[in-house]
Amino acid sequence: MDLISIDDLSAEEIENLLALSDGFLEIASRPIKKVPTLRGRTQINMFFEASTRTQSSFELAGKRLSADVINIKGSSSSVSKGESLKDTILTLESYRPDIIVMRHPQVGAARMATRYTNASVINAGDGAGEHPTQCLLDIYSLRRTVGELRGLKVAIVGDVLRSRVARSNIFGFRKMGMDVRLVGPPTLMPPGIEAWDVPVHYDLEALEDVDVVYLLRMQMERAKGVVPPVPSLREYSRVWGLSPYDLRPEQWVMHPGPINRGVELTADLADHGRSLILQQVESGLALRMAILYHVLVPSAQEEDELAFSSRGE
Amino acid sequence: MSTPTSPRGRPRTASVLGPRLACREILPETLLLPAVRVFDPVTELDRQADLLLSDGRIAAFDPSASQRQGAETLAALEGCHVFCGFIDPHVHLRTPGYEYKEDVESGSRAAAAGGFTTVVAMANTDPVVDGGPLVGWVLEQAQKTAWVRVGQVGAVTRGLRGQELAELRELLDAGVVGFSDDGHPVKDTDLLLHALRYLRDCDRPLLLHLEDSSAALDGVMHEGAWSARLGLRGVPAVAETGPLGQALDGLAYASAEAERLGKRPTPMHLQHLSAGASLARLRLAKEAGLPVTAEVTPHHLLLVDQEVRSFDQNLKVNPPLRSEADRLELIRGLAEGWVDCIGTDHAPHAPHEKEVPFEQAAFGTVGLESAFPALYAGLVAPGELSLERLVEAMTAGAAKALRLPVPRLEVGAVADLTVIDLAEEWALTEGDLAGKSRNSAFLGRPMQGRIKETIVAGARRLSASRLQDARAAGERD
């Protein structure tokens, strides 16, 4: 199976992934951190856009599951010679990979890749489209930290307009029964957002009664050539930047990284005791091991079932 | 009421403090205005009364003998009309940067001379008022020197360059009344939508100067028979109606979006409409329920392009004086209530900027001192406009357009008042101009109604400003 959108998973499947992740988290605490689960499988990581967390955790997850992992980078591959995405996928398909993990600056690139490969494609972020594994690791972090997800009040704050994380998390969080609201300047909310039926607030006072404040990164690098949606980073941080003083002691802070200290959050908030930012990274490794397992192993089960049903006739 | 703040005191909601109007403090007096005609279209008041002011408020109509004790009786005002103080949504006080044309003190003196108790200054200064500290500085000048209440708009775009939004939230927190790039259009649809969206739910208006700069380029008067005859380059009416259509379409789009989200849309205020064809569009937009208001200037209501044949540079204004047909449409729009208020676009210039050939002269006329008397003489006296409608436009209409509290002439209300002798007929001279500049399009023209006193917070401002003049003159002698 592929994982392109958070909509590809049901709440039940997500629960299974969380349970699997607990097992893989335990492996990370052993002295020998490798298991043979994916021995003989081939995983290709294709990153056409800069990444620290996502790429390193997918690579490490594959290696700890004993898969053969190779990395293709946009800057050092034939893409820089003008090769099209289609031809790059077709070329790599010749190696008969089992999994392709793809990060691409264009929305829909991961979905397109599924047309040219038999491998399971995992979307590791497509432009402002989706980032489903980020959503899953965030859910896993919350499960580990607060336990019960149903009814949990989460405010997603900031640059929703250009955020693929928001486009996965809003829907993923709600799927798990969480109460989601958005907070930020109106110009950072995508026009047409009312169709999502998510409460939208323009000021930080909407954080008053939430359990979790999920900060998004201000993506100024995506604003070239158009009217900037906020006048300046200075104004953004003054009005919408979060500091420890804006939090009640029992509230948690999350951020998908990379953080802009001094923009969407103050430097001291990033290092604050209620920040889950580094715990999210830890959760990410275990959760991504669970995903690699999940996308391959169910297909083996299906084969078993097919074999079983053919015997039955 | 406490406002929600974070523990370090940062306001968590937009505009918790609201717009700031500043003027110098003068201790309120206890004043009795005997046998005056109190007139207020909002409360439907129109009768003779002895008006008592005390502690900065209206204390009583027809006070008892004991209430009158200790009040100073202003017998000279007997027989005058008393209105709520006039509000001008559109003046240029030229501060900072152009104090040789006008400053907060002189501009507010002109306002007091014209019966205005509140004026709102535009941001096309040097430097442009596009940041919070500058707003604070101008309002500080007002607090020290202004004879009447002064509000400030903030620029919509940084440096009025029309490229990126100014720090509108900072301006809002500094107390601006609204936002305007006046003098320049917000011509880019994307930018307009950004401004309307960014200010959503803040309840502060976006004030628009409508001008298609390609169509208006190098034009110095209305494009029509008279520009052809005089050989001057014209500014076609479409230079206004084109951007107006774009602005109203943008407003409709952004307002519908806000409504779907359950938010208050950003109100739009159209500055100095000049073309008759603009009125039809305004009417349609208002009938559709859009949050839009509009102003017209006294000069567009009273003067037309034909006058330009005198080459009087004070008739060079932007937008230009248009045709008689346009003028009649503006009057009809005001009379029927489609036009909400009068904005003088008080635009002072120094003599050397006007005493050049017409084509080189600066655009603009001063307007505060002459607004009411000119409109009364030109429209009310001949029966083209009711007094109710004129007063309503200059008080409640302007307040609504600026989202300020609507003034009411009633007991307990803050005593911001204008006292006018409606019978007096006169002609405007340079001596009647109280600001620094003399560039009035109305010099020599008939006026009716003499502003006898302007009262802000229960203190006589017009007399006070004149007293200071007299003292200054005495020192010079």
Side-chain angles (χ1 to χ4, degrees):
Chain A
M1 69 165 285
D2 302 312
L3 178 55
I4 307 300
S5 161
I6 196 66
D7 290 339
D8 296 342
L9 296 170
S10 65
E12 196 187 347
E13 286 173 300
I14 294 174
E15 282 294 351
N16 288 339
L17 279 170
L18 301 185
L20 270 173
S21 302
D22 276 336
F24 290 120
L25 193 66
E26 187 268 323
I27 290 172
S29 64
R30 296 181 193 168
I32 306 296
K33 299 179 175 63
K34 206 172 178 98
V35 292
T37 318
L38 296 186
R39 196 165 54 199
R41 303 285 198 164
T42 303
Q43 171 189 343
I44 303 180
N45 297 333
M46 302 174 70
F47 278 72
F48 298 103
E49 200 182 63
S51 167
T52 302
R53 272 152 292 267
T54 308
Q55 189 185 351
S56 61
S57 70
F58 264 115
E59 181 172 353
L60 201 52
K63 285 177 170 167
R64 287 194 174 172
L65 293 172
S66 305
D68 297 318
V69 183
I70 56 173
N71 297 301
I72 308 290
K73 287 221 171 199
S75 54
S76 57
S77 69
S78 293
V79 173
S80 63
K81 300 175 187 167
E83 186 174 63
S84 73
L85 181 61
K86 174 182 170 181
D87 287 325
T88 304
I89 307 274
L90 288 174
T91 302
L92 295 170
E93 178 61 11
S94 312
Y95 304 139
R96 305 283 178 261
D98 299 285
I99 295 177
I100 290 177
V101 178
M102 194 162 108
R103 157 77 55 99
H104 198 279
Q106 306 290 326
V107 175
R111 183 75 71 193
M112 174 183 156
T114 63
R115 292 184 208 133
Y116 305 112
T117 177
N118 292 313
S120 290
V121 176
I122 298 172
N123 181 7
D126 61 328
E130 283 219 43
H131 196 355
T133 63
Q134 178 70 45
C135 171
L136 292 169
L137 76 86
D138 290 331
I139 291 170
Y140 184 46
S141 267
L142 286 171
R143 168 58 54 80
R144 289 176 63 198
T145 308
V146 299
E148 178 59 49
L149 300 179
R150 192 153 290 280
L152 197 66
K153 288 196 176 79
V154 184
I156 297 178
V157 182
D159 191 351
V160 176
L161 180 69
R162 298 171 290 195
S163 174
R164 53 186 166 226
V165 175
R167 282 180 186 75
S168 287
N169 285 27
I170 291 167
F171 303 103
F173 285 178
R174 289 208 302 197
K175 201 181 292 247
M176 303 312 287
M178 293 188 239
D179 174 352
V180 180
R181 71 192 68 180
L182 304 179
V183 182
T187 42
L188 285 177
M189 300 295 159
I193 198 168
E194 60 273 14
W196 299 0
D197 202 23
V198 183
V200 175
H201 301 273
Y202 300 142
D203 285 287
L204 292 189
E205 66 173 349
L207 304 185
E208 206 60 44
D209 65 326
V210 300
D211 304 301
V212 180
V213 181
Y214 192 103
L215 299 170
L216 298 170
R217 186 171 67 88
M218 267 298 280
Q219 302 193 49
M220 293 305 268
E221 78 276 10
R222 295 195 198 271
K224 295 191 181 71
V226 297
V227 178
V230 292
S232 66
L233 291 180
R234 191 176 73 102
E235 170 142 310
Y236 182 84
S237 77
R238 193 181 65 82
V239 182
W240 293 281
L242 202 71
S243 84
Y245 303 103
D246 294 311
L247 288 179
R248 285 184 293 106
E250 65 278 19
Q251 290 178 313
W252 296 101
V253 177
M254 301 177 80
H255 192 300
I259 58 174
N260 295 316
R261 288 182 192 242
V263 182
E264 63 267 2
L265 76 175
T266 58
D268 51 347
L269 180 61
D271 306 324
H272 192 259
R274 302 298 288 185
S275 159
L276 295 177
I277 297 172
L278 293 177
Q279 197 247 46
Q280 286 170 269
V281 180
E282 183 189 44
S283 300
L285 177 58
L287 188 278
R288 284 177 174 132
M289 289 170 78
I291 286 169
L292 294 174
Y293 177 82
H294 177 79
V295 297
L296 288 185
V297 176
S299 60
Q301 280 171 351
E302 281 163 29
E303 280 166 27
D304 285 346
E305 281 164 19
L306 277 175
F308 180 79
S309 65
S310 62
R311 271 204 300 279
E313 277 173 16
Chain B
M1 196 189 81
S2 72
T3 51
T5 54
S6 70
R8 64 180 165 173
R10 176 175 62 179
R12 281 186 157 190
T13 43
S15 148
V16 283
L17 302 170
R20 282 176 62 198
L21 300 173
C23 68
R24 67 164 74 175
E25 284 222 26
I26 300 179
L27 282 182
E29 306 151 286
T30 303
L31 301 173
L32 183 72
L33 284 66
V36 289
R37 183 88 168 266
V38 285
F39 186 95
D40 177 20
V42 174
T43 53
E44 294 183 0
L45 183 69
D46 180 13
R47 69 180 176 90
Q48 183 145 314
D50 293 341
L51 182 63
L52 182 72
L53 311 180
S54 104
D55 293 327
R57 294 180 181 271
I58 297 175
F61 299 113
D62 306 317
S64 65
S66 65
Q67 280 179 305
R68 289 166 195 251
Q69 290 247 319
E72 183 182 344
T73 302
L74 305 179
L77 300 182
E78 200 173 310
C80 286
H81 275 69
V82 175
F83 308 117
C84 288
F86 300 148
I87 300 172
D88 191 341
H90 191 155
V91 303
H92 297 272
L93 298 182
R94 304 301 192 204
T95 302
Y98 301 108
E99 285 86 351
Y100 67 94
K101 299 174 194 249
E102 193 81 285
D103 59 29
V104 173
E105 191 276 336
S106 66
S108 67
R109 174 196 303 264
F116 290 90
T117 55
T118 299
V119 296
V120 176
M122 294 299 117
N124 59 339
T125 49
D126 182 18
V128 169
V129 182
D130 62 0
L134 212 43
V135 174
W137 185 82
V138 174
L139 294 176
E140 198 180 305
Q141 302 309 303
Q143 203 137 24
K144 284 181 197 158
T145 68
W147 297 103
V148 304
R149 300 183 200 273
V150 170
Q152 177 67 48
V153 305
V156 182
T157 65
R158 207 177 285 254
L160 303 181
R161 283 191 297 270
Q163 286 168 359
E164 58 199 0
L165 296 181
E167 291 172 333
L168 304 184
R169 285 294 290 251
E170 183 184 85
L171 289 164
L172 196 71
D173 290 342
V176 294
V177 173
F179 299 90
S180 178
D181 271 3
D182 183 51
H184 302 269
V186 178
K187 58 187 171 193
D188 185 287
T189 304
D190 192 32
L191 195 62
L192 179 72
L193 285 178
H194 270 83
L196 289 170
R197 284 171 172 153
Y198 194 71
L199 292 171
R200 180 180 297 158
D201 234 23
C202 296
D203 203 34
R204 285 293 105 214
L206 181 67
L207 286 56
L208 289 184
H209 166 113
L210 302 166
E211 178 179 337
D212 178 329
S213 34
S214 72
L217 192 69
D218 293 337
V220 295
M221 69 173 295
H222 173 61
E223 182 174 281
W226 281 98
S227 62
R229 178 66 190 85
L230 297 174
L232 292 171
R233 187 171 160 87
V235 178
V238 71
E240 175 174 294
T241 56
L244 174 62
Q246 177 198 31
L248 293 175
D249 284 351
L251 181 66
Y253 188 83
S255 299
E257 190 176 78
E259 202 169 301
R260 290 195 298 272
L261 284 159
K263 307 291 182 187
R264 288 172 297 172
T266 303
M268 179 182 282
H269 176 69
L270 306 170
Q271 300 180 293
H272 51 51
L273 289 185
S274 68
S278 294
L279 271 292
R281 304 224 172 164
L282 173 67
R283 198 153 57 223
L284 280 176
K286 286 194 158 195
E287 281 168 350
L290 291 185
V292 61
T293 53
E295 74 190 25
V296 292
T297 71
H299 47 275
H300 288 109
L301 286 164
L302 295 168
L303 305 172
V304 293
D305 60 344
Q306 185 181 344
E307 316 251 6
V308 172
R309 68 191 157 166
S310 69
F311 296 108
D312 174 359
Q313 295 92 329
N314 292 335
L315 300 174
K316 185 176 172 185
V317 289
N318 185 27
L321 302 177
R322 296 209 179 270
S323 70
E324 178 66 7
D326 289 303
R327 187 181 81 91
L328 294 174
E329 277 298 300
L330 296 185
I331 295 170
R332 192 159 73 95
L334 179 62
E336 293 177 1
W338 302 108
V339 171
D340 302 87
C341 58
I342 306 293
T344 64
D345 196 2
H346 179 79
H349 287 297
H352 68 272
E353 293 161 322
K354 281 292 195 181
E355 291 168 355
V356 291
F358 192 88
E359 291 181 272
Q360 289 168 22
F363 287 101
T365 171
V366 296
L368 283 165
E369 301 94 331
S370 56
F372 180 88
L375 289 168
Y376 191 88
L379 300 181
V380 179
E384 292 178 47
L385 188 72
S386 68
L387 179 62
E388 285 83 356
R389 191 60 207 117
L390 177 60
V391 171
E392 186 182 28
M394 295 184 74
T395 55
K400 285 176 191 162
L402 295 171
R403 297 293 207 261
L404 296 174
V406 173
R408 298 166 72 91
L409 204 54
E410 61 189 12
V411 172
V414 172
D416 280 13
L417 303 170
T418 298
V419 186
I420 302 181
D421 175 3
L422 285 185
E424 187 173 335
E425 294 182 48
W426 50 295
L428 188 74
T429 67
E430 289 200 358
D432 297 310
L433 300 174
K436 281 187 185 176
S437 295
R438 302 281 170 266
N439 57 305
S440 171
F442 290 100
L443 286 171
R445 293 179 194 270
M447 305 278 132
Q448 186 173 348
R450 211 29 126 160
I451 287 87
K452 295 292 186 182
E453 191 56 84
T454 302
I455 296 170
V456 175
R460 287 173 288 171
R461 304 297 175 130
L462 181 53
S463 327
S465 72
R466 286 189 176 149
L467 192 62
Q468 193 188 57
D469 284 352
R471 282 201 193 118
E475 279 162 20
R476 278 198 299 273
D477 288 345

